[in-house]
Amino acid sequence: FLFSRPGVCLVVSGPGFLHALGGMANATMNCWPLIVIGGSCDRNQETMGAFQEFPQVEAGRLYNKLSVRPSSLEVIPAVIEKAVRTSIYGRPGSCYIDIPGDFVNLQVNKSSVKYVECCLPPPVSTAEPSAVSRAVSVIAHSKQPLLIVGKGAAYSHAENNIRKLVDLCGLPFLPTPMAKGVVPDNHPNCVAAARSTALQHADVIILLGARLNWILHFGLPPRFRQDVKVIQIDVCAEELGNNVKPAAILLGDISAVTKQLLEEFSKRPLKYPSNSEWWKRLREKIMSNEERSKGLALQKSLPMNYYTVFHHIRELLPKDCILVSEGANTMDIGRTMLPNYYPRQRLDAGTFGTMGVGLGFAIAAAMVAKDRTPEKRVVCIEGDSAFGFSGMEVETICRYNLPILIIIVNNNGIYTGLDADAWKEMLKFGDPSTCVPPVSLLPNSHYEKIMSAFGGKGYFVRTPEELQSALKASLTDKQTPSLINVMIDPQSERKKQEFPWLTRSNL
């Protein structure tokens, strides 16, 4: 996807605005450019209890980079330009523009309107040469380096320069969730399968557009070495030095700064030896973890577990499909089992951990793909509880005939659930509202019938053979939306210490 301009959302006043606050916060926290335009009550009715009256500009300031109401019709073009510029300059984010109801029927002389030219693309800034030289020196003296690729690198379209850096210097790299594919997951230097080991023992970490927030355990012990040296590259000056004092700070566009590093390494060549003890340790851990995953994936017992389901999905999904994912275990395990080969083709709950975004993301991705890359499939993989947040968006998918494939990994609950027999036993103790665990959902719910109800194709799947058949049929039919409801063992969970991007304590 291209991020050169913001998305725009139009909402009504009051409840419409309030329902959009979650999306504004999600965009700002995830650094996505967005403009929300909201209606509001007439100015002469403020404080009188007008229909859907709410202090929207004030409320919006907590969730947006800019929250503003134009003072007159004449200044609307200037306000729009300011909002567009604010949403894409520096760290991208959301902006809110409030339009009072009485503006709709006002008229002004065209000559008094303050027209302004559309803002230029964000300026591309580079780091100070001395900082680049210092960073290269720190990397050259490292014994156990690690490159962490963040979604800022995907946003800046830095993939070509980062791949050159990885290949030139032989550095192990670890992508954060939405940076998967900047360097393909099947690249030999990818150490995602040894994530905990790589983070815990690296002596130098190069952060390329990644933040030391909860996803990276704040950069602090025990997940990181006490003496780890961090080289931080970010477009946002305020981010530099958060939680850990960097050994070198490089303020600038990720792609441009990576190019500076490449130029410096061309003068001071560095090739980290592939036979070093560090690489040996990482590869041993990768092999161990992959063997454990493979053992789980090839289990023949029924109901299936998460790993078996993802194994068969991985075997059949197109390499260039756009992956959307949400749900606790479904999303976490899916990140480790479903590789990305291209940048900007994975959307999930993100930095804010927002549930209910999956189908909305899939619809947006499908609309973009429809115009720009119609050959790409959008595949939305959800937990059953995650699907429950926005399942009726299936109607939108069918209304616009978007060939989205939804796969629900259904364990009858949130994290874990109950099978039909255990559910019946629970009901013997009384009313389900008091006896059944609140994380349990109704067993064997036929979510696929929601898709069928609106004209799409639905599949209820219990075995690997049924899953393979449903996947092949859904991927072959490029005109019809489909939903595969995959039943798994209600007690199936991730491996112990599975790459903990998201843990129960973080939900």
Side-chain angles (χ1 to χ4, degrees), residues 295-309 312 462-465 487-489 492:
L296 290 167
L298 297 180
Q299 283 183 0
K300 302 296 184 182
S301 58
L302 295 176
M304 294 181 284
N305 64 51
Y306 282 103
Y307 294 86
T308 303
V309 171
H312 291 290
R462 293 180 182 272
T463 68
E465 293 75 20
M487 303 306 303
I488 67 167
D489 184 349
S492 177

Side-chain angles (χ1 to χ4, degrees), residues 182-314:
V182 169
V183 183
D185 284 344
N186 62 349
H187 191 286
N189 288 35
C190 181
V191 295
R195 177 182 186 272
S196 295
T197 298
L199 293 179
Q200 193 170 15
H201 299 287
D203 62 350
V204 170
I205 287 176
I206 306 103
L207 287 175
L208 280 168
R211 291 177 280 182
L212 290 177
N213 55 15
W214 66 272
I215 289 181
L216 289 174
H217 315 289
F218 313 106
L220 300 174
R223 296 288 191 177
F224 290 77
R225 284 172 50 153
Q226 184 76 43
D227 61 347
V228 65
K229 291 187 169 100
V230 174
I231 297 167
Q232 198 169 6
I233 306 168
D234 205 285
V235 74
C236 178
E238 291 81 359
E239 186 63 35
L240 301 171
N242 271 357
N243 300 322
V244 174
K245 184 179 179 180
I249 56 175
L250 288 79
L251 175 64
D253 174 80
I254 304 300
S255 184
V257 174
T258 307
K259 185 177 180 181
Q260 288 181 282
L261 289 171
L262 284 168
E263 291 170 352
E264 190 70 18
F265 277 123
S266 69
K267 303 172 192 172
R268 304 162 58 180
L270 169 71
K271 184 72 172 181
Y272 196 78
S274 60
N275 60 352
S276 66
E277 285 299 314
W278 177 228
W279 262 121
K280 181 180 177 182
R281 184 175 189 177
L282 291 172
R283 289 194 182 104
E284 286 175 352
K285 191 63 177 178
I286 289 170
M287 189 175 298
S288 170
N289 281 336
E290 287 181 344
E291 284 298 317
R292 289 170 62 201
S293 294
K294 185 178 179 181
L296 290 167
L298 297 180
Q299 283 183 0
K300 302 296 184 182
S301 58
L302 295 176
M304 294 181 284
N305 64 51
Y306 282 103
Y307 294 86
T308 303
V309 171
F310 283 119
H311 168 73
H312 291 290
I313 293 174
R314 181 177 62 198

Side-chain angles (χ1 to χ4, degrees), residues 103-161:
F103 271 25
V104 176
N105 293 317
L106 284 181
Q107 292 186 352
V108 294
N109 192 313
K110 188 175 181 180
S111 62
S112 66
V113 177
K114 297 180 179 179
Y115 290 105
V116 294
E117 291 186 7
C118 189
C119 68
L120 296 171
V124 176
S125 55
T126 56
E128 295 179 5
S130 60
V132 176
S133 179
R134 184 161 56 253
V136 167
S137 179
V138 172
I139 296 169
H141 287 89
S142 66
K143 297 189 182 302
Q144 297 178 178
L146 176 66
L147 183 68
I148 298 180
V149 184
K151 69 170 173 277
Y155 184 90
S156 71
H157 291 253
E159 53 268 19
N160 290 336
N161 286 335

Side-chain angles (χ1 to χ4, degrees), residues 3-11 17 19-37 60 63-67 79-80 82-89 91-97 155 361 364:
F3 297 100
S4 56
R5 293 287 159 180
V8 181
C9 178
L10 180 66
V11 298
F17 168 84
H19 286 143
L21 284 176
M24 297 181 209
N26 200 39
T28 298
M29 294 295 182
N30 281 294
C31 313
W32 295 333
L34 171 70
I35 293 176
V36 176
I37 301 174
Y63 303 86
N64 296 277
K65 291 183 71 179
L66 175 71
S67 185
V79 169
I80 296 292
K82 168 80 170 178
V84 171
R85 182 159 36 89
T86 302
S87 73
I88 61 176
Y89 278 31
R91 174 179 285 170
S94 176
C95 294
Y96 173 67
I97 301 171
Y155 184 90
F361 280 177

